[in-house]
Amino acid sequence: MKKIRALGMGRDIVLLAVILFFVEFVRGAALVSFIPIYGQNILYISLAIIGAATTAHYLTDTLLKTAIGYLLDRLPARLIINIGLLISLTGIALFHYGNIPWVFILAAALYGVGISPVWIVCLTKVKEDQRAAQMGFLYMIWLVGMGAGPVVLNLILDYKPAFSYWLLVALSTVAWLLSFFVAGGKQAERISVPFREQWEALREKLKAIKPLLPGMILQTLGASMLVPILPTFVAESLSFTEHREYSLLLLLGGGCTVLGLVPMGKWSDKSSRKPFLVIGFGIFALTLASLSLHPSKLMAYGLAVVLGLSYSAVLPAWNALLALYVPPGQKGLGWSLLSTVEGIGVLIGPVLGGFIASATSASMVVWISAALFGIVSIVYLLFPSRWFAEQ
């Protein structure tokens, strides 16, 4: 607790971090394990429908980001978070009727509603003079939640598949109840200028970041393509027949990402961001491609460690780069717009990955994803260093 206070974290952001943990735990469990594994093995949903459901989740999450950011600059955060998490809880509850394809997709879409407010409010609370440390803390909460969710759910799916549904409902309920204790005031940095003027200021920032947009979209496209097919790929290409083996793989990758976040963040703050993005994405691409070569289980675990470390190099540098393009007085709207741009790839990826896997194989999706990350690394390498500094 003392270390958290040393980072300048007040009661409000600590509470938000706890809510973020539960939300991301359920999200990770739902997207990585529940939707693809429970959907395919228990509800007998096709990979194409699973991919469509994942895309529907990201669609609502992405489309609502801009509106939520605008509202967060004007309305109490507690109100927006509370309503969003209630809708998300409704979505999780609807999975009870998920054997009907359109209900399965609708449930995933509704769950995406409550994700954006918590994360955007956390971003607006970060202090610029402690960005590396505080973002490292928030990313740690995010990744531990996202990583622990699939690990725990995979173990449950091995023994009591039906209980996995009730666990997600219970944790979503806890997150919603905790939202009643979020501070009721509006964001500290109020804005008094009209929306048209705010948009013009943000448009100038977006113009400055325009050369980075292809990379933003490709990297989220490459990552999101893997979500619906990952369990199938692990079973087919890595011969991980038990969910606990898959859980260990996720635990190693996620754990190494968490351990590397703060040191990598501080290192990237003190040096140029470009090498971290170029090298990080390059290693990620090569390692991901190596997983498609049917490595031994021991080698697969080693590759998961490398993937985690390379991801920990990319995340803080990328966040610090985006932070340069968020006007100080419009953090809610600014972060939401940038997140919306990033979300374009996320909208296409899952459904594309699902259809490619259904038409060819899960391994083909991994190869394509690795190629996209390789292209991102080359794109960032070719850009001059000035694009990675404040414009």
Side-chain angles (χ1 to χ4, degrees):
M1 197 66 182
K2 289 181 179 179
K3 289 183 179 180
I4 293 177
R5 288 174 181 170
L7 294 177
M9 302 285 189
R11 171 194 170 278
D12 193 27
I13 196 170
V14 171
L15 176 60
L16 285 168
V18 173
I19 295 173
L20 178 67
F21 172 80
F22 284 117
V23 166
E24 295 298 340
F25 183 100
V26 175
R27 183 181 195 176
L31 293 178
V32 180
S33 296
F34 186 81
I35 289 177
I37 296 175
Y38 191 89
Q40 189 174 23
N41 297 342
I42 307 300
L43 301 176
Y44 304 106
I45 298 292
S46 70
L47 283 176
I49 295 296
I50 288 171
T54 307
T55 292
H57 166 83
Y58 285 122
L59 178 65
T60 54
D61 180 22
T62 301
L63 292 181
L64 287 172
K65 274 188 171 76
T66 302
I68 288 172
Y70 180 77
L71 293 173
L72 280 172
D73 285 329
R74 287 157 177 77
L75 299 175
R78 179 172 60 196
L79 176 65
I80 297 172
I81 292 175
N82 186 271
I83 293 174
L85 291 180
L86 178 59
I87 297 173
S88 291
L89 173 58
T90 303
I92 289 294
L94 276 177
F95 276 116
H96 183 69
Y97 307 98
N99 59 313
I100 305 171
W102 71 266
V103 174
F104 189 81
I105 295 173
L106 176 63
L110 287 177
Y111 183 65
V113 173
I115 306 298
S116 299
V118 181
W119 182 243
I120 293 174
V121 171
C122 286
L123 290 177
T124 63
K125 300 288 185 181
V126 173
K127 297 179 180 179
E128 293 303 320
D129 59 345
Q130 295 177 305
R131 172 162 292 277
Q134 291 191 354
M135 283 309 303
F137 170 74
L138 289 176
Y139 271 130
M140 190 177 299
I141 295 293
W142 173 57
L143 284 169
V144 169
M146 280 284 287
V151 169
V152 172
L153 207 75
N154 285 340
L155 294 175
I156 295 173
L157 286 169
D158 271 337
Y159 301 103
K160 292 186 178 180
F163 180 70
S164 61
Y165 164 77
W166 293 109
L167 177 64
L168 298 187
V169 170
L171 293 181
S172 297
T173 302
V174 171
W176 174 59
L177 292 175
L178 285 175
S179 69
F180 284 95
F181 299 95
V182 173
K186 299 170 187 172
Q187 297 298 305
E189 294 186 23
R190 294 303 310 281
I191 49 178
S192 57
V193 294
F195 177 75
R196 185 187 298 269
E197 294 181 30
Q198 298 169 44
W199 172 251
E200 286 300 320
L202 282 166
R203 196 162 63 87
E204 291 303 314
K205 289 287 187 178
L206 289 175
K207 277 184 181 179
I209 206 174
K210 191 176 180 180
L212 299 179
L213 293 180
M216 292 173 68
I217 296 171
L218 286 178
Q219 68 196 45
T220 53
L221 175 63
S224 61
M225 284 176 65
L226 299 174
V227 174
I229 60 91
L230 200 53
T232 303
F233 169 77
V234 168
E236 292 178 354
S237 298
L238 303 182
S239 301
F240 283 15
T241 56
E242 297 182 1
H243 295 314
R244 60 174 173 266
E245 294 176 324
Y246 178 38
S247 296
L248 180 57
L249 190 76
L250 294 174
L251 192 60
L252 283 172
C256 289
T257 302
V258 169
L259 291 175
L261 276 175
V262 173
M264 289 289 189
K266 290 183 177 180
W267 191 9
S268 66
D269 275 354
K270 293 178 182 178
S271 58
S272 172
R273 300 178 186 94
K274 181 176 178 177
F276 283 85
L277 295 173
V278 173
I279 297 173
F281 280 120
I283 293 176
F284 195 92
L286 291 173
T287 308
L288 192 59
S290 298
L291 282 172
S292 295
L293 301 176
H294 301 279
S296 65
K297 290 183 180 180
L298 185 60
M299 179 62 72
Y301 287 135
L303 291 172
V305 170
V306 177
L307 280 174
L309 291 175
S310 60
Y311 196 49
S312 72
V314 167
L315 272 179
W318 181 249
N319 177 269
L321 176 62
L322 291 185
L324 299 176
Y325 299 89
V326 178
Q330 301 165 253
K331 288 187 175 181
L333 186 58
W335 277 112
S336 64
L337 283 174
L338 289 175
S339 297
T340 301
V341 173
E342 283 189 296
I344 295 173
V346 177
L347 296 181
I348 305 169
V351 68
L352 182 61
F355 278 115
I356 291 175
S358 295
T360 56
S361 67
S363 292
M364 179 59 68
V365 178
V366 175
W367 274 109
I368 294 173
S369 176
L372 290 176
F373 282 114
I375 292 171
V376 170
S377 178
I378 295 172
V379 167
Y380 289 155
L381 176 64
L382 296 177
F383 278 142
S385 297
R386 71 174 185 274
W387 290 114
F388 298 87
E390 189 165 8
Q391 301 297 309

